[in-house]
Amino acid sequence: MRAFQLGADGTARMHSIAQPVPRPGQVLVKIMACGLNFADLLMISRTYQDRPAPPFTLGMELAGVVAALGQGVDTLQIGARVAVFSGQGGLAEWGCFDANRCTPLPDAMPFDHAAALQIAYGTSHLALDHRARLQPGETLLVMGAAGGVGLTAVQIGKRMGARVIATARGADKLRVARDAGADHVIDSTAPDLRDALIALGGVDVVYDAVGGPAFTQAMRATNPEGRLIPIGFAGGEVPQIPANHLLVKNLTVIGLYWGGYLKFAPQTLSRGLATIFDWYESGGLRPHISHRLPLSDSQTALDLLKSRQSTGKIIIAPHGV
């Protein structure tokens, strides 16, 4: 079978490998869709929190059909449609995954939507609901609002009753953010972000997927008792947070690593995904997918992600688009 792997030499490319066989507690999944994430790029550069020893197959979230059961698996049946947060292994035609990582899909949910919902929507829901305790009527600032996680924060923020301000680069991405529900949009290249935010009444919660100097500007426009969540650093610069500013305005900076909850509170992730799937079934959420590409175009897809030419999610379809 084909699998897009990071090799021991540090190069990511397509390989031909043997189809895996499920071990006890695992299932074999025919992978129909894999969602790409900025973290995939970090795994290639070996700068992500989790660093599996190469060679390993890239692709952190996927959806497909259970094709075989390992010994002891009695919670799933062959033919079941599932979403899997795997951490790796999604950019392949087949994969073996722990059965407890598999979530049955609603009948009406297509595979590409299932692959797009897990990490991005899971991260934003956990950040805004469980960590920041976003309240109806509060003002949420989403920076990098047209990206994979940013766009989900706009949608979930609106679902939770917040007023949403979105920043993104360029008119096209701002249009995507507004279409997702943002009440106000600001071009991230504007030099006066702090002034623009203050003119809108300041912000109560900052959701930042970009990092860099804009984080400091947003912090200076955050209202007393505001909460700031650094989600990622797509801009390449980790902001340095002046603790004295936190004291003066009683601000809170909240760390969040969604995947880390698997180790100490997996039930929190399960509850969040259940909520997201419920919202999807009720028509309240729909992922924005800008590109659907075959497995052979995995490198092209990663290049699109790296150059920020995509909006929302990029989906790889190992068995055809």
Side-chain angles (χ1 to χ4, degrees), residues 126-201:
L126 188 72
L128 298 177
D129 181 71
H130 181 71
R131 298 289 282 146
R133 308 292 184 187
L134 179 68
Q135 299 298 309
E138 288 191 314
T139 296
L140 167 67
L141 169 65
V142 180
M143 297 198 289
V149 291
L151 204 58
T152 67
V154 172
Q155 292 179 312
I156 289 176
K158 287 300 296 181
R159 176 83 187 205
M160 295 177 66
R163 181 181 70 136
V164 177
I165 303 172
T167 71
R169 184 185 296 267
D172 290 343
K173 291 187 175 182
L174 290 175
R175 188 177 305 112
V176 169
R178 189 179 287 281
D179 289 345
D183 299 287
H184 305 278
V185 295
I186 301 172
D187 196 303
S188 59
T189 62
D192 55 352
L193 176 60
R194 172 182 175 270
D195 293 341
L197 293 173
I198 290 176
L200 291 170

Side-chain angles (χ1 to χ4, degrees), residues 35 64 74 111 114 189 194 199 218 225 228 232 240 270 275 285:
D74 58 8
F111 291 117
T189 62
R194 172 182 175 270
E225 293 195 332
L228 301 100
Q240 302 304 301
S270 298
T275 297
L285 293 179

Side-chain angles (χ1 to χ4, degrees), residues 282-306:
S282 67
L285 293 179
R286 286 295 181 271
H288 174 84
I289 298 171
S290 64
H291 296 80
R292 293 175 176 84
L293 299 170
L295 183 62
S296 56
D297 286 345
S298 293
Q299 185 58 60
T300 298
L302 290 167
D303 290 341
L304 287 169
L305 190 63
K306 186 175 183 179

Side-chain angles (χ1 to χ4, degrees), residues 14-213:
M14 197 68 69
H15 290 259
S16 179
I17 63 174
Q19 182 175 308
V21 176
R23 298 193 302 269
Q26 290 189 329
V27 296
L28 174 68
V29 175
K30 182 179 182 180
I31 301 171
M32 304 304 296
C34 175
L36 293 189
N37 294 273
F38 188 75
D40 290 305
L41 299 174
L42 298 180
M43 292 184 82
I44 293 172
S45 65
R46 311 302 286 161
T47 56
Y48 193 56
Q49 297 97 320
D50 290 336
R51 301 177 188 177
F56 67 91
T57 301
L58 293 157
M60 303 177 71
E61 59 182 335
L62 60 103
V65 179
V66 174
L69 306 177
Q71 182 181 354
V73 175
D74 58 8
T75 56
L76 294 168
Q77 295 181 341
I78 293 175
R81 303 170 67 253
V82 294
V84 188
F85 169 59
S86 58
Q88 59 177 282
L91 288 179
E93 294 173 310
W94 303 83
C96 288
F97 309 101
D98 291 346
N100 59 14
R101 291 281 187 101
C102 300
T103 302
L105 298 184
D107 292 339
M109 183 182 290
F111 291 117
D112 56 351
H113 284 190
L117 280 169
Q118 297 171 83
I119 293 177
Y121 282 90
T123 294
S124 292
H125 181 265
L126 188 72
L128 298 177
D129 181 71
H130 181 71
R131 298 289 282 146
R133 308 292 184 187
L134 179 68
Q135 299 298 309
E138 288 191 314
T139 296
L140 167 67
L141 169 65
V142 180
M143 297 198 289
V149 291
L151 204 58
T152 67
V154 172
Q155 292 179 312
I156 289 176
K158 287 300 296 181
R159 176 83 187 205
M160 295 177 66
R163 181 181 70 136
V164 177
I165 303 172
T167 71
R169 184 185 296 267
D172 290 343
K173 291 187 175 182
L174 290 175
R175 188 177 305 112
V176 169
R178 189 179 287 281
D179 289 345
D183 299 287
H184 305 278
V185 295
I186 301 172
D187 196 303
S188 59
T189 62
D192 55 352
L193 176 60
R194 172 182 175 270
D195 293 341
L197 293 173
I198 290 176
L200 291 170
V203 299
D204 301 302
V205 174
V206 175
Y207 181 106
D208 180 20
V210 180

